[in-house]
Amino acid sequence: MADSKKKNTKELSYSELVVQRNELKKKYMDLRFQMIIAHVDNPLQKRTMRRQIARLNTFIRQKESAGLNK
């Protein structure tokens, strides 16, 4: 299952990657505020979201260096 997720992420276009990263950043900020204000069921979700954002940043950077950011 994780392999199919990675393949799907690698196959996304530059603009789709940027949109997905921005959505994840927004969800991450919401989760941070929620952790401060109230109880969160899964505190490790913050770590996984941070890693997903980093993964997306890597793919975005690769596409930028390849000149595919059109």
Side-chain angles (χ1 to χ4, degrees), residues 17-70:
L17 286 170
V18 171
V19 168
Q20 189 174 0
R21 179 189 62 184
N22 292 340
E23 289 174 2
L24 264 177
K25 279 185 173 183
K26 186 177 183 309
K27 287 180 185 178
Y28 178 72
M29 292 303 290
D30 291 341
L31 182 65
R32 282 184 58 198
F33 291 132
Q34 187 179 2
M35 288 181 85
I36 292 170
I37 295 171
H39 176 72
V40 176
D41 292 336
N42 187 3
L44 293 179
Q45 186 179 9
K46 186 176 168 185
R47 181 192 315 170
T48 57
M49 289 180 86
R50 211 173 47 236
R51 289 179 179 176
Q52 288 172 343
I53 293 169
R55 215 171 278 121
L56 286 172
N57 282 334
T58 301
F59 291 134
I60 289 170
R61 181 68 184 125
Q62 286 174 351
K63 297 233 182 213
E64 284 176 350
S65 65
L68 298 174
N69 58 347
K70 297 178 183 173

